[in-house]
Amino acid sequence: MKIRIPATSANLGPGFDSCGIALSQYLNIEVVKNAEEWKIIHSLGADIPSDKTNLLIQTALKIAPDLSPKVLKMTSDIPLARGLGSSSSVIVGGIELANRLGNLNLSQKDKVQIATEMEGHPDNVAPAICGDFVVASYVDGEVYSVKHHFPMCDVIAYIPEAHLLTSESRSVLPASIPYKEAVQASSIANVMIAAILNGNLPLAGLMMEKDRWHESYRKKLVPHLEQIRDLSHKVGAYGAFLSGAGPTVLVISPEEKTTQMVRELEKLPHSAAINVLSIDQEGI
Ligand code: HSE
């Protein structure tokens, strides 16, 4: 049995803790055989546990405590702690593992609900499960989500070498913002979503860069954001925004501008990987 979970990018700028897209990088899980003890074969580094303490198995056992132990194989090209949903991909993988091994028959909605309760916000787990573009709200303990097709484009991920933990990136956010500012921040997100639904990426890109919820507070942790934004304007891409909690920055680009955009990004002095991705439309 094999499970494939896509990377994700949360927020898309103003859709903080609500909007996300699934991307064409993946966590792959394979059930190899029955065993006496849980074991994960992987080469993801010494920091990632290979036994029952791994988040994948912990998640699966939380949902189906009676699962019998297996040997699993895990590979991933989703970089850790870079704002591309690596921990969400593991949580979603654990839920799907429990679902299939335990024959739980969970619906997509059940999976989104369980994953959001574990993660605390739906903007990574929902697109990882459903694929494509998902707008979700976690309110009064319930997740309400809508999947929609994201318009055709390239997604260029500028992935710095340095890690940034979500907890650190959330710690710089204010406890509250003034009412007037919140109304404005919400209107920006609304127009961005409507523009995406209309296939209007130039307008969506413009709105992505006007976020008022989080990017201005996080900017000090990701000084390359402004530089990349300037380059994106110069090249004529649709827009650039912080991927999730960062430090990765995504540039949404028309296909014909991608080569030039990548060339410009390569000139930046930071140590970073630059990946040209597409939207994953399927999820798990
Ligand atoms: N919406 C979350 C954030 C995504 O920006 O903190 C990262 O997990």
Side-chain angles (χ1 to χ4, degrees):
M1 184 225 292
K2 291 183 182 174
I3 303 170
R4 190 181 80 156
I5 308 105
T8 47
S9 180
N11 303 330
L12 310 187
F16 182 68
D17 275 2
S18 172
C19 294
I21 45 176
L23 297 167
S24 58
Q25 282 188 293
Y26 298 93
L27 165 67
N28 293 290
I29 298 157
E30 189 180 343
V31 178
V32 180
K33 59 178 182 182
N34 291 323
E36 293 289 309
E37 303 277 342
W38 286 97
K39 185 179 172 190
I40 303 184
I41 303 165
H42 70 79
S43 48
L44 301 172
D47 293 348
I48 311 287
S50 308
D51 61 6
K52 210 176 163 176
T53 62
N54 189 293
L55 178 62
L56 180 83
I57 300 170
Q58 294 275 307
T59 304
L61 289 176
K62 208 178 272 179
I63 297 160
D66 296 332
L67 288 183
S68 58
K70 306 272 182 258
V71 174
L72 308 170
K73 204 167 138 189
M74 184 156 98
T75 58
S76 180
D77 58 2
I78 308 175
L80 300 178
R82 303 302 213 297
L84 288 166
S86 60
S87 69
S88 298
S89 71
V90 177
I91 290 173
V92 169
I95 293 169
E96 188 60 359
L97 189 68
N99 183 42
R100 296 209 204 161
L101 290 177
N103 295 314
L104 303 182
N105 268 324
L106 296 175
S107 66
Q108 198 170 65
K109 189 175 184 313
D110 295 333
K111 292 176 204 171
V112 170
Q113 179 71 33
I114 297 168
T116 301
E117 284 169 10
M118 290 184 174
E119 176 84 340
H121 41 85
D123 45 344
N124 288 108
V125 292
I129 292 166
C130 307
D132 223 316
F133 169 55
V134 179
V135 184
S137 178
Y138 185 28
V139 62
D140 300 333
E142 278 280 326
V143 185
Y144 304 90
S145 68
V146 177
K147 172 183 173 176
H148 197 277
H149 181 56
F150 197 85
M152 192 64 95
C153 64
D154 281 342
V155 180
I156 306 166
Y158 183 87
I159 310 168
E161 209 168 79
H163 295 196
L164 176 56
L165 292 175
T166 299
S167 51
E168 188 189 347
S169 189
R170 284 183 92 87
S171 73
V172 299
L173 302 177
S176 61
I177 64 171
Y179 186 79
K180 213 171 149 184
E181 221 175 287
V183 170
Q184 205 171 47
S186 152
S187 73
I188 293 166
N190 297 341
V191 174
M192 177 194 70
I193 293 164
I196 291 173
L197 302 192
N198 258 350
N200 186 345
L201 280 183
L203 178 58
L206 206 67
M207 293 295 116
M208 283 171 183
E209 299 197 349
K210 290 192 185 295
D211 160 67
R212 299 284 194 274
W213 296 117
H214 66 115
E215 284 189 356
S216 57
Y217 308 103
R218 288 171 161 170
K219 229 160 44 187
K220 55 184 176 221
L221 303 173
V222 280
H224 50 278
L225 175 61
E226 281 308 318
Q227 284 170 298
I228 294 175
R229 210 159 254 173
D230 289 346
L231 292 175
S232 152
H233 296 162
K234 181 175 141 190
V235 170
Y238 296 126
F241 55 87
L242 197 59
S243 183
T248 293
V249 173
L250 290 195
V251 181
I252 302 284
S253 170
E255 206 187 324
E256 66 275 13
K257 304 278 184 190
T258 297
T259 308
Q260 194 191 346
M261 188 66 220
V262 170
R263 262 192 225 124
E264 293 292 341
L265 290 173
E266 281 168 351
K267 290 183 204 156
L268 288 175
H270 321 284
S271 193
I274 299 163
N275 295 351
V276 178
L277 306 173
S278 53
I279 306 284
D280 170 282
Q281 294 179 7
E282 288 168 27
I284 51 172

